[in-house]
Amino acid sequence: MLEEEKAPKVRMGDIAKAAGISRQALYLHFPTRAELLVATARFLDEVNGADAKFASCSEARTGRERLDAFIQAWGGYIPEIYGVGHALLAMQDTDEAARAAWEDRMQAVRSGCRSAVEMLDSDGALCSELTAERAVDLLWTLLSVRNWEQLTQACGWSQAEYVREMQALAQRALIRTQS
Amino acid sequence: MLEEEKAPKVRMGDIAKAAGISRQALYLHFPTRAELLVATARFLDEVNGADAKFASCSEARTGRERLDAFIQAWGGYIPEIYGVGHALLAMQDTDEAARAAWEDRMQAVRSGCRSAVEMLDSDGALCSELTAERAVDLLWTLLSVRNWEQLTQACGWSQAEYVREMQALAQRALIRTQS
DNA sequence: ATGTCAACTTTACACAGTGTCAAGCAAAGG
DNA sequence: CCTTTGCTTGACACTGTGTAAAGTTGACAT
């Protein structure tokens, strides 16, 4: 349901109905809407084998390979959690639990960015205008779910285009030009 | 009030109280919360001389100058409308008027991006890996309010750093490397 | 002085969605 | 047979938006 266009408008009652139980029964399983969404996100991670996808990144031997692999993995992962993510993002301002849950996931992405940047740095491949920390900030921002949303939704990019262009952009943005 | 941290939580009653009138009187002036916010945005544009700031971009003689000038102008403009913008963004999913109003403003930004990219292109300075359209998509996304928010809030960049880094990034991202 | 109009006030209410609470029912299992 | 578990139904509190109606106040016109 969350993937069907209007994620934030899926109400507790809708979910209950779809599950074939009463709205109240839903509250016997999940204390709040936020926690239901968070649990859904965790469930999706498990089902989709999220860990495995990201594990393959650490096999990369150069920083550049790692950067590409990470963008591929994360970029391919976004659409799978976008439904839940969107719903969670929509309640950031009103719900502390939702904020914390999302923040947590984003910090995980950030540490993925950091790994790639550090590997680039130790290869001596990091763009000379950037410190490692600043490069992490930039990459992390480039790869935000909102940016994916804008590019694939508003700009009409396909998933494959997104990954390809983002890899190319990240290289121009972060990697020292050979000279 | 909108600039004070928790923009989306400013309610009609809060505004009325601050204005020294009753909540109902507010509805005599603005039919809905969304329209009040939109009117506020327009008002801020006027007060801050938004047009003038962007007009100076078109004086640039090279694409690169124009790119820098546009990022400077828009980047400097974001903090001025961020309060209202944030409140408007927060109600995108629930309020069609808010969505349309924001979309409208963002299309204006996009056309600023397009002007800069086209000038770069006609200078022959556009990165060879990019079509003009794709460059516009990228620049527009790079300069999103959400990205500004993430970099200045979550990453702790100062306004000056944001502008400087964004100009540098845009150059690496869009401009053909001299070779 | 009287009338009228505009801007506002107070009070009340409809509506949506979340979350709480309490009483009851039905099937499973010692 | 009795208890527990998982549910059901129904009612309700709360928040915030927006609507509606009746009353007040001051300015200004005749």
Side-chain angles (χ1 to χ4, degrees):
Chain A
M1 290 168 76
L2 290 170
E3 278 163 5
E4 269 165 23
E5 220 48 40
K6 0 122 202 299
K9 299 182 91 175
V10 178
R11 293 154 300 186
M12 292 300 269
D14 298 332
I15 298 168
K17 196 179 292 175
I21 60 176
S22 69
R23 189 172 70 90
Q24 314 319 322
L26 210 46
Y27 282 102
L28 297 175
H29 296 275
F30 304 96
T32 64
R33 195 176 111 99
E35 299 212 32
L36 188 160
L37 290 173
V38 171
T40 306
R42 270 198 285 269
F43 176 74
L44 282 179
D45 279 0
E46 220 172 282
V47 163
N48 291 322
D51 290 350
K53 279 186 190 167
F54 289 99
S56 71
C57 297
S58 42
E59 288 166 24
R61 266 167 316 190
T62 70
R64 209 188 126 146
E65 265 178 42
R66 176 143 199 169
L67 182 62
D68 272 359
F70 180 67
I71 294 177
Q72 169 109 41
W74 168 240
Y77 181 61
I78 296 176
E80 260 147 37
I81 49 141
Y82 177 64
V84 164
H86 190 56
L88 232 25
L89 277 170
M91 58 195 304
Q92 292 275 296
D93 300 304
T94 48
D95 191 296
E96 174 53 23
R99 214 214 88 262
W102 187 256
E103 158 94 12
D104 195 62
R105 308 199 127 231
M106 288 310 104
Q107 285 307 323
V109 174
R110 191 168 216 277
S111 83
C113 292
R114 164 162 290 122
S115 301
V117 165
E118 278 171 359
M119 202 155 169
L120 278 176
D121 199 13
S122 69
D123 287 0
L126 193 61
C127 170
S128 56
E129 303 176 50
L130 290 171
T131 65
E133 200 52 29
R134 198 138 285 189
V136 173
D137 290 344
L138 274 183
L139 182 58
W140 184 48
T141 301
L142 246 40
L143 296 179
S144 74
V145 171
R146 303 280 197 192
N147 282 353
W148 177 87
E149 182 178 30
Q150 173 152 322
L151 290 168
T152 61
Q153 242 99 303
C155 300
W157 293 16
S158 72
Q159 178 60 25
E161 281 171 325
Y162 170 82
V163 171
R164 189 167 1 97
E165 290 291 339
M166 228 45 188
Q167 288 173 331
L169 171 61
Q171 282 171 29
R172 292 195 300 274
L174 302 183
I175 293 184
R176 160 169 282 159
T177 52
Q178 340 267 87
S179 63
Chain B
M1 288 168 76
L2 290 171
E3 279 164 4
E4 269 164 23
E5 223 46 44
K6 1 114 205 301
K9 300 183 90 177
V10 178
R11 293 154 300 186
M12 292 301 268
D14 299 332
I15 297 168
K17 195 179 292 177
I21 61 175
S22 69
R23 189 172 70 90
Q24 313 319 321
L26 209 46
Y27 282 102
L28 298 174
H29 296 274
F30 304 96
T32 64
R33 196 177 110 98
E35 299 213 33
L36 187 160
L37 290 173
V38 171
T40 306
R42 271 199 283 272
F43 175 73
L44 283 178
D45 279 358
E46 220 173 281
V47 162
N48 291 322
D51 290 349
K53 280 186 191 168
F54 289 99
S56 70
C57 297
S58 43
E59 289 166 22
R61 266 168 314 191
T62 71
R64 208 188 126 145
E65 264 178 41
R66 176 144 196 169
L67 183 62
D68 272 358
F70 180 67
I71 295 176
Q72 169 109 43
W74 168 241
Y77 180 62
I78 296 176
E80 259 146 37
I81 52 142
Y82 177 65
V84 164
H86 189 58
L88 232 26
L89 277 169
M91 57 195 304
Q92 291 277 294
D93 300 305
T94 46
D95 192 295
E96 175 53 24
R99 215 214 87 264
W102 188 256
E103 158 94 13
D104 194 62
R105 308 197 127 231
M106 289 310 104
Q107 286 306 324
V109 175
R110 192 168 215 279
S111 84
C113 292
R114 163 162 289 121
S115 301
V117 166
E118 277 170 0
M119 202 157 171
L120 278 176
D121 199 13
S122 70
D123 287 359
L126 194 61
C127 171
S128 56
E129 305 175 49
L130 291 170
T131 65
E133 200 52 29
R134 197 137 287 188
V136 173
D137 290 345
L138 274 182
L139 182 57
W140 185 46
T141 302
L142 246 40
L143 296 179
S144 74
V145 171
R146 302 280 196 191
N147 282 353
W148 177 87
E149 182 178 29
Q150 174 153 321
L151 290 168
T152 61
Q153 242 97 304
C155 301
W157 292 18
S158 71
Q159 178 61 24
E161 281 170 327
Y162 169 83
V163 171
R164 188 166 4 95
E165 291 291 338
M166 228 46 187
Q167 288 174 332
L169 172 61
Q171 283 172 26
R172 293 195 300 272
L174 302 184
I175 294 183
R176 160 169 282 160
T177 53
Q178 342 266 85
S179 64

